[in-house]
Amino acid sequence: MRIKKFISRNLKEGKAKILQELGEDAVILSSRTIKKPDGEGIAAVEIVAAIDDSPLKSIKKPTKKTNQKLSEVPLVSKFAIERGENKFMRATTQIYDELNSIKSMVSEISDSVKYIHSSVLNDIFKDIYLCLRKSELSEEFSLKIASTLSARANINSFEEALTESRILATEHILIKEPVKGKNKRVVSAFVGPTGSGKTTCLIKLALVSKLLLKSDILIISADSHKVGGVEQLQSLASIGSISYITVNTGDELKNIIEKEKNRDFIFIDTAGYSPLNNSGLENTAMMLRECEPENIYLVQSATMSGSSFSKSISEFSALNPDSLILTKLDEAPSIGEIVMALKDNPIPISYLTNGQKIPEDIEPASRKAISKALLPDELFDKFYK
Ligand SMILES: Nc1nc2c(ncn2[C@@H]2O[C@H](COP(=O)(O)OP(=O)(O)OP(=O)(O)O)[C@@H](O)[C@H]2O)c(=O)[nH]1
Ligand SMILES: [Mg+2]
């Protein structure tokens, strides 16, 4: 067997040299990068390769009986087993395997860093801290809550600590009471990113107002933008025997609102836009300026990432929303990032929706409901069975 070291500019060039000098039966034994003298960047790649000059007939393939994995087979036997196969493929796979194990090591380290502060807490407060982190609340906020609770003398069980942490984690959330109506006409518009649940919320609220308050309602669709958007709302309105009309311009919207003075509620559905679509937002802003609704609901889904949620609140703030409707709680695996986003971008929440059923799956917002979605009861079972 011949073993030889190759220095080349990169792995590809190195492999070409090995192929040229040792032939395609060569195997790569090791490879490493050599840094430039100033430590910045890679100067060369060193590859050690071997070729079997004399056939090793005595070495056999491991049998199933020994149950030896290929990676555990001594190098020389491995070499023999691999004869006739593409050695470069094998070497590349080995490099990928090593990269994967480095990746999982890094992820383990980052996990231990994520929960590093749990070591300063004890017993139930450590568990509470872990629950808060698993709910995707930030490190700093989770630690603050857990340490505040551990400093209290009256908390003796995980259950008590969980109840208190629900309160502390959501005390910054602002709540807006639902609009009661009846004394004067209320015009409400629903705005928000594409697919957030605007039309569904609107029809849920319209039906609830009709059924519970016996209100006289008009639904206006200003969403000619979406294919099928008008038909979707029109058919839902007709099922609920609610008056419905479509408008295409701000002037049309203004005229209808001026004309329909005797309604209890007017609900306006708008087209969904990406918060990055400035011209779309400007269109909606122009329409809303014409009719000056009493209520502008910003509808956003709890399934968004914290950063998209924050960005959307800040972009839609150009429309001056009065409150937020948080939708799709049933689809969000955890809402810690949303709770954190609401800390940095405070806006009162008026309703929560947690399903597609019309009109059942909507409720007035409350800190209690949000905190249960953030830290569900199942946490108790998980930690203390
Ligand atoms: N699981 C779940 N689905 C919901 C909820 N609210 C709305 N949806 C669904 O989300 C989808 C989009 O809802 P829409 O009401 O059409 O959303 P939109 O914001 O009007 O969409 P655009 O007008 O296209 O911007 C529909 O399939 C709804 O049934 C909710 O609370 N939970
Ligand atoms: Mg819609």
Side-chain angles (χ1 to χ4, degrees):
M1 174 154 115
R2 258 190 310 143
I3 298 177
K4 189 166 178 190
K5 191 189 285 180
F6 293 84
I7 307 284
S8 52
R9 279 179 303 177
N10 53 45
L11 203 58
K12 194 175 168 196
E13 194 182 291
K15 281 182 186 173
K17 276 189 188 172
I18 295 167
L19 193 64
Q20 197 184 9
E21 281 199 34
L22 302 182
E24 67 168 25
D25 276 350
V27 283
I28 292 176
L29 300 178
S30 70
S31 68
R32 72 179 183 98
T33 53
I34 302 167
K35 289 205 168 155
K36 287 182 181 163
D38 59 3
E40 297 276 312
I42 294 165
V45 178
E46 179 194 283
I47 308 174
V48 178
I51 178 74
D52 182 27
D53 290 322
S54 54
L56 295 170
K57 300 221 165 55
S58 58
I59 297 167
K60 292 186 186 125
K61 238 179 170 171
T63 57
K64 271 191 184 156
K65 213 171 152 196
T66 60
N67 209 16
Q68 220 172 0
K69 285 186 198 152
L70 192 60
S71 57
E72 290 159 8
V73 178
L75 189 63
V76 182
S77 351
K78 205 192 241 182
F79 175 76
I81 293 160
E82 286 171 349
R83 285 192 65 141
E85 289 179 17
N86 185 338
K87 305 295 184 308
F88 292 114
M89 278 301 276
R90 181 70 64 182
T92 315
T93 314
Q94 221 169 332
I95 292 169
Y96 275 122
D97 284 351
E98 277 169 30
L99 279 177
N100 275 336
S101 76
I102 293 170
K103 227 165 113 185
S104 69
M105 218 150 65
V106 169
S107 127
E108 267 175 39
I109 293 169
S110 92
D111 261 6
S112 61
V113 170
K114 200 169 164 192
Y115 301 127
I116 200 160
H117 287 113
S118 62
S119 57
V120 301
L121 299 159
N122 53 33
D123 304 333
I124 52 176
F125 304 107
K126 191 170 174 172
D127 290 345
I128 285 294
Y129 169 81
L130 293 177
C131 288
L132 296 167
R133 290 295 286 132
K134 289 207 163 103
S135 310
E136 299 192 343
L137 291 177
S138 75
E139 167 82 55
E140 195 189 349
F141 194 43
S142 306
L143 188 61
K144 190 173 161 202
I145 295 171
S147 354
T148 305
L149 295 178
S150 82
R152 289 190 194 162
N154 59 343
I155 297 178
N156 301 308
S157 69
F158 178 81
E159 213 170 8
E160 284 171 352
L162 185 60
T163 307
E164 291 302 312
S165 58
R166 279 183 179 138
I167 295 170
L168 292 182
T170 53
E171 65 184 0
H172 64 277
I173 291 180
L174 309 169
I175 301 293
K176 187 169 189 240
E177 290 287 311
V179 177
K180 297 278 187 319
K182 277 290 177 200
N183 297 331
K184 79 182 222 332
R185 186 192 67 176
V186 181
V187 179
S188 302
F190 294 73
V191 302
T194 324
S196 60
K198 298 175 291 297
T199 307
T200 313
C201 276
L202 181 152
I203 198 79
K204 282 174 180 173
L205 284 180
L207 283 170
V208 168
S209 311
K210 185 170 167 85
L211 297 172
L212 297 184
L213 308 174
K214 310 275 179 254
S215 308
D216 180 8
I217 297 162
L218 171 68
I219 292 175
I220 304 176
S221 173
D223 182 9
S224 46
H225 173 85
K226 181 181 166 185
V227 179
V230 167
E231 292 75 11
Q232 175 198 14
L233 190 53
Q234 190 166 21
S235 59
L236 288 168
S238 90
I239 292 167
S241 309
I242 295 173
S243 310
Y244 171 88
I245 201 157
T246 304
V247 297
N248 291 307
T249 64
D251 279 346
E252 279 176 35
L253 183 60
K254 189 178 174 191
N255 291 340
I256 287 171
I257 287 174
E258 275 175 8
K259 210 171 87 191
E260 299 279 344
K261 288 208 168 20
N262 295 326
R263 302 280 185 178
D264 296 317
F265 290 106
I266 295 181
F267 291 127
I268 306 167
D269 192 24
T270 68
Y273 290 106
S274 148
L276 305 176
N277 179 345
N278 289 335
S279 64
L281 282 184
E282 189 42 43
N283 264 350
T284 308
M286 264 159 49
M287 278 223 177
L288 297 183
R289 270 197 294 272
E290 293 294 332
C291 63
E292 296 177 352
E294 279 80 27
N295 248 327
I296 299 180
Y297 294 115
L298 171 59
V299 182
Q300 291 201 170
S301 163
T303 59
M304 290 171 95
S305 71
S307 56
S308 315
F309 197 87
S310 298
K311 173 123 191 91
S312 182
I313 293 182
S314 104
E315 296 296 329
F316 278 97
S317 70
L319 304 182
N320 291 322
D322 300 278
S323 67
L324 182 88
I325 299 183
L326 187 58
T327 59
K328 307 192 188 183
L329 278 166
D330 56 309
E331 283 189 358
S334 58
I335 61 161
E337 286 193 10
I338 304 294
V339 168
M340 293 310 303
L342 288 166
K343 216 166 158 21
D344 299 332
N345 305 274
I347 175 167
I349 306 184
S350 45
Y351 292 96
L352 306 172
T353 80
N354 50 14
Q356 291 179 302
K357 278 190 262 127
I358 297 172
E360 300 96 305
D361 291 336
I362 189 160
E363 61 177 309
S366 67
R367 277 190 208 94
K368 190 173 172 190
I370 295 169
S371 67
K372 284 247 173 171
L374 176 70
L375 298 165
D377 283 338
E378 297 85 74
L379 282 178
F380 183 81
D381 304 331
K382 255 188 217 161
F383 277 81
Y384 294 91
K385 280 213 166 131

